[in-house]
Amino acid sequence: MIRKYVFGKPFETDAVVMEMENRDGLPEFGEISLENGFSFTCTMEKDDIVYGLGEANRGINKRGFCYISDCTDDPNHTEDKNSLYGAHNFIVLAGKKNVGFFFDYPSKLIFDIGYTDLDVLKVSCEKADLKLYVIEGESPYDIVKQFRKMIGRSYIPPKFAFGFGQSRWGYKTKEDYRKVREGYRKNRIPLDMIYMDIDYMQDYKDFTLNEENFSDFPEFVQEMKEDGIRLIPIIDAGVKIEKGYEVYEEGVEKGYFCKRADGSNFVAAVWPGYTHFPDVLNADARKWFGGWYHVLTDQGIEGFWNDMNEPAIFYSEEGMEEFKAVLRENSTMEEENPAVAIGDKMQALSNNPADHTRFYHTVNGEKICHKDVHNLFGYNMTRAAGEAFERIAPDKRFLMFSRSSYIGMHRYGGIWTGDNKSWWSHLLLNLKMMPSLNMCGFLYTGADLGGFGADTTRDLVLRWLALGVFTPLMRNHSDLRTREQECYQFGDTEDFRQIIETRYRLVPYLYSEYMKAALNDDLYFKPMAFVYPEDEIAVRTEDQLMIGNEVMIAPVYTQNAKGRFVYLPERMMLVKFTGDSAVYQEVLEKGIHYVEVALNEVPVFIREGKCIPVAASAQTVAELDTKHLTLMGFDGAEYALYEDDGVSKDYENPENIRTLSGALLLFEK
């Protein structure tokens, strides 16, 4: 049961697609105060668990910390950070009573979940202009599925997007990309995509190509496709201010950039220098900006990743003037602690919340301060692209994912979890974040495998890839200021080949489960608690996840570990994949087991009575033989395989489902 309550005059976010009437009065769950803004407060029982919040720090159970929905460009994801790149305002309170809450509010929203008071959940914001959806259900899982129907079908990527992708900030020329291609092909490591970071552009200008390095670009795109590799370019939020640059001049002429209060175009410095931001909350401007993606799709590009769209601001003109004033005031060094004053002001230049008050959007003729809708920018930038793809090629799927997001964007693209670090703790954070993102509609998700910032190590990349085998988005990405971490950079490549071959062997199963989850408003990743709600150990286990209805995963995430302890809530079959070589299997009884896992192995636990389809590996997704699959699991089990052409949108065709049964490669007699 879903109830909708409207307070004040909320901004229409388009997060919810289900039509429902407003309820009078106040929700029976918790107390609401409309003094000094909005606050919702309720008491939690001692054993209650709180799920949700999508891209958020810490664990699956969000209890005991304060989270702030305020899309933030911050690459240092330490445990004390309250905000990350996304704002996903859905939570589920699970315990003696099960109830979900979606706070549809596009500005800064604070979730104090037992942080100030261990037993109190408090959600608050500055203005009492929002929609609150209260969802009752039989279980947390039931509530999540109701919510997923409420917000609409999750984005469905093309099938090639389930291959492995290599990325690095710093690839600048065709030869850089050819070197990556040859590094993988020579070592027989599968690869479907190479990502293009900001250096492919001319002076970091959106929808341009470096004239010297990328002449004859359509021919280069085709050259890579002929070897089974798609190029996936980045698009940033800021449009460079430069006379003669068509995107800039047309945006100024049509009035499609965000404005200051006086009507002039807001100016912020990002990678290109001074830029304007497209007013993507304005439907006309959104259509205009999205239309520019055709510049690259016309040249053969079939996927993009949107970045810097919180939006990130290195500094604004106003912020720089304030900083210069502080420098002048402290120039004599006679003032008390001048270095502190200068340092504080310098640090405050980047992503300063004060800048959010300095520019405005025009929505349906009304001027809206960016601060009041801040969390919607990344969502609507990606929406601009998604809506444009419907015009460019309505029957074709494009790959699209974004850094910043709000619930609703899940219908237009996936997300990657941003600029993580090459830390073992971020490998574990990646694992724990996945089901929470799924709960908020984001199914096509993944992290920068191996870590983006800091220097990685061979064992960390291998362990992270072993988790990435299961994330729909599987991409190795790194910062140009760090050690190179392509899979051929660590000497012997055999271990890397076997891990990535395992991904390709499992693509038929992973793609099938993804499609079932998307088409049925379900989860791809589930917490163990959603499958085994009566098992207290399973409910409290956060470093093991369920995929679909057949599989449990328990990745190794500790340095120098030769294995790990795994809790089995039921009898399961352990399968260890090592590329296309033989797999090891053993049926384990319910309970705690220590499982050894070598660096070239990917362990999978198949539930009793279940099986999964496995293919022979291939160098690309397109080369996989899905007509001759092997079933792995328990004797007598069947599997309903979803398989389509991976490109078109004929999702509901009954011929996309076929039942697999017969002899199993691994089975218990």
Side-chain angles (χ1 to χ4, degrees):
M1 178 187 295
I2 305 174
R3 297 185 179 94
K4 174 184 175 183
Y5 301 88
V6 178
F7 301 92
K9 297 181 179 179
F11 184 86
E12 182 52 66
T13 68
D14 294 327
V16 174
V17 297
M18 182 184 291
E19 293 289 336
M20 62 188 81
E21 293 185 1
N22 302 339
R23 292 289 184 124
D24 294 328
L26 298 174
E28 61 182 274
F29 296 98
E31 297 180 0
I32 288 178
S33 171
L34 302 179
E35 296 181 10
N36 301 316
F38 171 90
S39 70
F40 167 86
T41 306
C42 72
T43 301
M44 297 183 289
E45 300 288 340
K46 182 181 68 171
D47 293 327
D48 282 353
I49 291 174
V50 178
Y51 297 105
L53 293 185
E55 186 181 41
N57 217 335
R58 302 196 172 213
I60 295 174
N61 182 358
K62 297 300 188 290
R63 191 162 178 172
F65 195 57
C66 183
Y67 305 86
I68 301 176
S69 285
D70 187 27
C71 297
T72 303
D73 172 23
D74 183 349
N76 299 308
H77 309 163
T78 48
E79 283 193 27
D80 60 327
K81 294 299 170 68
N82 307 98
S83 303
L84 296 177
Y85 302 102
H88 307 139
N89 303 336
F90 171 61
I91 58 173
V92 179
L93 180 62
K96 292 181 180 178
K97 57 185 178 185
N98 295 299
V99 59
F101 304 97
F102 175 46
F103 300 85
D104 193 4
Y105 182 74
S107 188
K108 182 177 179 180
L109 186 66
I110 300 171
F111 290 84
D112 185 332
I113 307 178
Y115 174 70
T116 301
D117 185 329
L118 183 63
D119 297 325
V120 175
L121 165 65
K122 182 176 181 180
V123 182
S124 57
C125 54
E126 185 177 288
K127 294 185 176 181
D129 297 312
L130 74 158
K131 299 174 187 175
L132 169 59
Y133 297 84
V134 180
I135 309 170
E136 294 181 71
E138 298 176 356
S139 66
Y141 187 20
D142 174 46
I143 289 168
V144 167
K145 287 192 285 188
Q146 289 186 63
F147 177 66
R148 292 286 309 285
K149 287 186 182 297
M150 189 178 95
I151 60 175
R153 177 175 289 175
S154 295
Y155 160 76
I156 296 176
K159 193 173 183 179
F160 74 77
F162 287 79
F164 176 64
Q166 180 61 57
S167 183
R168 181 173 171 85
W169 175 21
Y171 299 156
K172 295 184 178 181
T173 67
K174 292 179 185 176
E175 289 311 310
D176 289 337
Y177 290 91
R178 289 178 176 131
K179 179 182 175 182
V180 174
R181 177 187 66 189
E182 294 309 311
Y184 278 91
R185 293 292 183 246
K186 180 178 67 175
N187 290 287
R188 301 296 297 164
I189 302 173
L191 185 70
D192 266 272
M193 293 157 286
I194 303 178
Y195 290 83
M196 307 182 79
D197 213 318
I198 55 176
D199 292 307
Y200 82 89
M201 295 185 252
Q202 182 67 48
D203 303 321
Y204 306 130
K205 292 182 291 189
D206 282 342
F207 312 113
T208 68
L209 295 152
N210 184 285
E211 296 165 2
E212 179 181 352
N213 296 334
F214 291 100
S215 60
D216 302 319
F217 188 63
E219 289 79 6
F220 181 55
V221 172
Q222 184 59 31
E223 172 194 325
M224 298 300 259
K225 282 187 182 180
E226 287 174 359
D227 204 0
I229 292 173
R230 287 171 170 84
L231 297 173
I232 311 296
I234 197 170
I235 302 294
D236 279 353
V239 172
K240 182 176 175 63
I241 298 172
E242 181 182 281
K243 287 187 177 180
Y245 170 35
E246 189 177 359
V247 182
Y248 161 72
E249 292 198 333
E250 188 172 278
V252 170
E253 177 190 350
K254 295 180 179 294
Y256 284 160
F257 293 124
C258 294
K259 309 291 185 184
R260 295 187 178 99
D262 65 4
S264 62
N265 291 319
F266 177 70
V267 178
V270 203
W271 293 116
Y274 277 135
T275 69
H276 295 324
F277 292 138
D279 186 3
V280 288
L281 273 69
N282 177 315
D284 292 335
R286 185 167 64 243
K287 183 177 181 180
W288 165 78
F289 186 76
W292 280 100
Y293 284 80
H294 84 85
V295 170
L296 292 165
T297 61
D298 286 352
Q299 300 183 70
I301 292 299
E302 298 176 81
F304 300 86
W305 47 308
N306 285 345
D307 196 13
M308 307 296 288
N309 53 356
E310 291 70 34
I313 297 175
F314 292 170
Y315 55 87
S316 65
E317 280 190 328
E318 293 87 342
M320 182 55 70
E321 288 305 312
E322 291 176 356
F323 176 60
K324 290 177 180 177
V326 171
L327 284 177
R328 289 192 294 268
E329 292 168 5
N330 292 273
S331 60
T332 64
M333 301 299 286
E334 294 176 358
E335 290 80 1
E336 186 177 352
N337 296 324
V340 172
I342 293 171
D344 287 348
K345 196 63 181 177
M346 182 180 292
Q347 285 188 330
L349 276 175
S350 180
N351 300 309
N352 186 347
D355 286 330
H356 300 165
T357 67
R358 292 170 171 148
F359 66 100
Y360 293 78
H361 302 270
T362 303
V363 183
N364 299 324
E366 183 181 357
K367 190 160 67 174
I368 308 290
C369 182
H370 176 77
K371 175 188 174 185
D372 294 331
V373 290
H374 170 68
N375 293 333
L376 299 182
F377 193 93
Y379 160 20
N380 280 278
M381 179 184 173
T382 298
R383 180 180 180 178
E387 291 173 341
F389 298 152
E390 290 290 331
R391 299 189 298 271
I392 292 168
D395 297 323
K396 179 178 178 177
R397 300 181 228 170
F398 288 83
L399 172 58
M400 168 54 69
F401 57 91
S402 170
R403 189 170 77 176
S404 183
S405 59
Y406 184 87
I407 290 171
M409 199 205 82
H410 71 284
R411 300 191 297 271
Y412 302 97
I415 67 170
W416 94 102
T417 58
D419 297 345
N420 59 7
K421 288 288 197 296
S422 297
W423 298 340
W424 290 91
S425 61
H426 278 185
L427 167 53
L428 179 58
L429 180 60
N430 179 185
L431 176 67
K432 292 183 177 182
M433 197 181 287
M434 293 297 100
S436 300
L437 283 165
N438 279 199
M439 292 177 205
C440 295
F442 295 93
L443 296 185
Y444 191 75
T445 58
D448 288 343
L449 304 175
F452 175 76
D455 291 325
T456 196
T457 60
R458 183 179 189 275
D459 59 340
L460 177 56
V461 177
L462 284 166
R463 292 301 195 197
W464 216 326
L465 287 170
L467 167 58
V469 161
F470 301 101
T471 59
L473 169 59
M474 185 186 188
R475 179 177 80 150
N476 178 331
H477 182 45
S478 58
D479 189 323
L480 63 80
R481 296 161 292 195
T482 67
R483 175 185 187 179
E484 293 177 313
Q485 64 186 49
E486 294 87 358
C487 293
Y488 50 81
Q489 300 285 7
F490 300 92
D492 184 9
T493 59
E494 183 67 12
D495 289 347
F496 292 90
R497 181 181 64 79
Q498 291 180 337
I499 294 286
I500 297 174
E501 280 184 346
T502 297
R503 164 62 167 221
Y504 282 72
R505 296 192 71 191
L506 291 173
V507 161
Y509 173 69
L510 302 178
Y511 180 75
S512 177
E513 290 307 307
Y514 184 97
M515 294 301 295
K516 292 174 191 175
L519 298 176
N520 295 301
D521 300 314
D522 206 338
L523 301 181
Y524 171 87
F525 284 115
K526 302 184 188 78
M528 291 181 69
F530 282 23
V531 179
Y532 306 100
E534 305 303 321
D535 187 322
E536 186 61 25
I537 298 177
V539 167
R540 299 291 171 176
T541 298
E542 297 202 354
D543 60 353
Q544 301 170 204
L545 299 178
M546 310 302 296
I547 295 177
N549 293 313
E550 293 79 20
V551 163
M552 184 184 79
I553 63 169
V556 176
Y557 53 86
T558 307
Q559 185 177 7
N560 296 322
K562 295 186 180 298
R564 56 162 292 175
F565 284 98
V566 178
Y567 174 67
L568 303 186
E570 64 174 306
R571 199 163 174 261
M572 292 185 179
M573 178 178 290
L574 167 62
V575 178
K576 293 182 181 178
F577 286 90
T578 52
D580 260 340
S581 61
V583 294
Y584 166 79
Q585 69 90 18
E586 178 183 2
V587 174
L588 301 175
E589 299 300 324
K590 175 180 177 178
I592 298 173
H593 301 265
Y594 183 80
V595 177
E596 291 189 359
V597 183
L599 284 173
N600 65 342
E601 292 179 334
V602 179
V604 173
F605 299 84
I606 302 174
R607 299 176 65 187
E608 184 161 25
K610 306 290 186 181
C611 65
I612 63 173
V614 179
S617 186
Q619 289 295 290
T620 65
V621 168
E623 294 173 320
L624 287 169
D625 179 2
T626 59
K627 300 303 179 186
H628 301 89
L629 298 172
T630 299
L631 290 176
M632 292 186 176
F634 286 83
D635 193 19
E638 294 183 339
Y639 180 75
L641 178 75
Y642 181 98
E643 183 181 24
D644 56 22
D645 63 12
V647 177
S648 67
K649 299 177 181 178
D650 186 18
Y651 305 129
E652 316 294 345
N653 189 333
E655 294 183 5
N656 292 342
I657 294 282
R658 60 188 170 107
T659 300
L660 304 179
S661 60
L664 303 176
L665 179 64
L666 300 175
F667 61 93
E668 182 196 15
K669 294 183 179 179

